[in-house]
Amino acid sequence: PAALALLLAPQWAQAQATLEKIKSRGQINVGYRALAAPFSFHQTPEKPLGYSIDFCKPIVESLRQAAGNKNLPVRYIETEVDVRVRLLAEGSVDLLCENVTDTPERRARMDFSTPIFIDAIQVAVRNKDMISTLEQLKGKSIVGIDGSTAAPALDRFAQQRGLKWQMAKAVNPDAALGQLQLGWAAGYARDGVMLAAQLASLSDAGNYTILPERLSVETIAIGYRKGDAAMGALVNASIKESMRSGAARGWYEQWFLKPAKPGAKPLFTEMPAEMKTLFDAAKAN
């Protein structure tokens, strides 16, 4: 038994790491992205909004309960694609509540909850360039956000179809959109729903089209520290309950089926089949 305890000690320490860090810090740190509507964005940095943020609020309450302090303060920390994994690994943030895609490459450095959304990489183009298919982007430049899953998705798609294009990188969504607007890039690749949300915010949104082809399946989840089984169990239990109770469906309707502002179009007119399957599975188990 003593030998077994020694063997399990490092695993127990890792599993307890996030909760113990929260207790010693006296605060829960939630990472989010400011330019990731409708998953996470802010009007004031202290109060971010969005679909992923809504999922994380009950998780925060569960963490408070586990820490034995129902008044434990929460700090929202703005992150960027290129630093968010490091912030999570070093313990600066306890959760990533944004548009984090679960990929095998990222699983080497962090862990993910069960899915909260299913999306796909798509490409936006300017209507005046008369492009209606990805095939027509052959030999042209396509911009994506540095560190995102857009570039690998484009590479895989190009290899499968025997296409070649130039991949440009931008530091953030605004910079990527700027390249498309100026014609420096013929296409802008991003998660489809976020691309739709970004274009919908423009005064000339009608001048752009998102091509129908889907380059990849993007499984969006909540990120937490690698190897923290206790945190994973808490996060997944909270997500499952949110889906089972119907709360998650309400968040989905708010962020995807209703206009973001008066006069705007909703991102979807009905729930995609992948999302319906996700909610139905949570209720069935």
Side-chain angles (χ1 to χ4, degrees):
L4 181 62
L6 286 172
L7 183 65
L8 293 176
Q11 297 177 28
W12 182 87
Q14 181 67 11
Q16 297 298 315
T18 302
L19 188 57
E20 293 307 314
K21 186 172 282 289
I22 287 171
K23 287 179 180 178
S24 63
R25 190 198 297 130
Q27 177 175 282
I28 300 169
N29 289 345
V30 176
Y32 78 100
R33 289 181 64 204
L35 298 175
F39 294 95
S40 71
F41 63 100
H42 68 221
Q43 291 165 334
T44 61
E46 300 80 18
K47 290 187 177 181
L49 305 168
Y51 181 72
S52 298
I53 297 294
D54 282 344
F55 266 100
C56 279
K57 288 177 181 176
I59 296 172
V60 164
E61 292 308 314
S62 293
L63 285 169
R64 283 173 167 159
Q65 187 174 354
N69 182 353
K70 65 179 183 180
N71 297 313
L72 203 59
V74 179
R75 180 186 174 201
Y76 288 96
I77 298 174
E78 186 178 339
T79 71
E80 295 295 342
V81 170
D82 56 344
V83 299
R84 58 188 179 182
V85 178
R86 176 177 59 80
L87 292 175
L88 194 63
E90 69 187 18
S92 297
V93 299
D94 306 311
L95 291 166
L96 288 177
C97 302
E98 43 187 88
N99 62 312
V100 193
T101 301
D102 181 350
T103 67
E105 295 79 12
R106 289 176 178 169
R107 277 188 176 266
R109 302 178 61 195
M110 60 188 283
D111 279 336
F112 293 89
S113 71
T114 55
I116 63 169
F117 193 85
I118 308 294
D119 201 2
I121 295 293
Q122 291 181 270
V123 177
V125 295
R126 301 188 303 179
N127 292 346
K128 67 180 181 181
D129 293 331
M130 304 293 287
I131 294 169
S132 57
T133 68
L134 286 171
E135 183 79 26
Q136 291 174 285
L137 287 168
K138 188 174 181 179
K140 301 182 185 296
S141 175
I142 303 176
V143 64
I145 301 163
D146 193 17
S148 74
T149 54
L154 283 164
D155 286 343
R156 286 192 298 270
F157 189 88
Q159 289 172 7
Q160 292 166 0
R161 306 294 177 92
L163 299 174
K164 283 190 177 179
W165 39 47
Q166 303 162 36
M167 191 66 205
K169 295 179 180 178
V171 294
N172 60 44
D174 287 343
L177 179 59
Q179 289 195 37
L180 178 65
Q181 289 172 314
L182 293 169
W184 296 353
Y188 166 23
R190 195 183 186 194
D191 291 10
V193 70
M194 298 182 61
L195 202 52
Q198 189 176 5
L199 293 177
S201 68
L202 301 176
S203 58
D204 62 345
N207 293 337
Y208 301 88
T209 295
I210 297 176
L211 300 180
E213 293 119 314
R214 295 157 68 91
L215 281 79
S216 66
V217 175
E218 303 288 302
T219 301
I220 309 297
I222 303 298
Y224 58 94
R225 193 173 177 183
K226 179 72 178 174
D228 196 334
M231 186 67 165
L234 183 148
V235 168
N236 285 329
S238 176
I239 289 173
K240 187 172 182 178
E241 180 54 32
S242 292
M243 289 186 173
R244 193 161 44 198
S245 70
R249 187 175 285 269
W251 304 330
Y252 180 89
E253 290 173 357
Q254 177 184 350
W255 297 111
F256 299 102
L257 302 183
K258 293 179 181 178
K261 56 186 178 182
K265 292 182 179 180
L267 297 179
F268 297 137
T269 53
E270 60 184 44
M271 181 177 285
E274 298 98 328
M275 288 303 301
K276 189 174 186 305
T277 299
L278 205 60
F279 284 124
D280 289 346
K283 284 190 173 183
N285 296 322

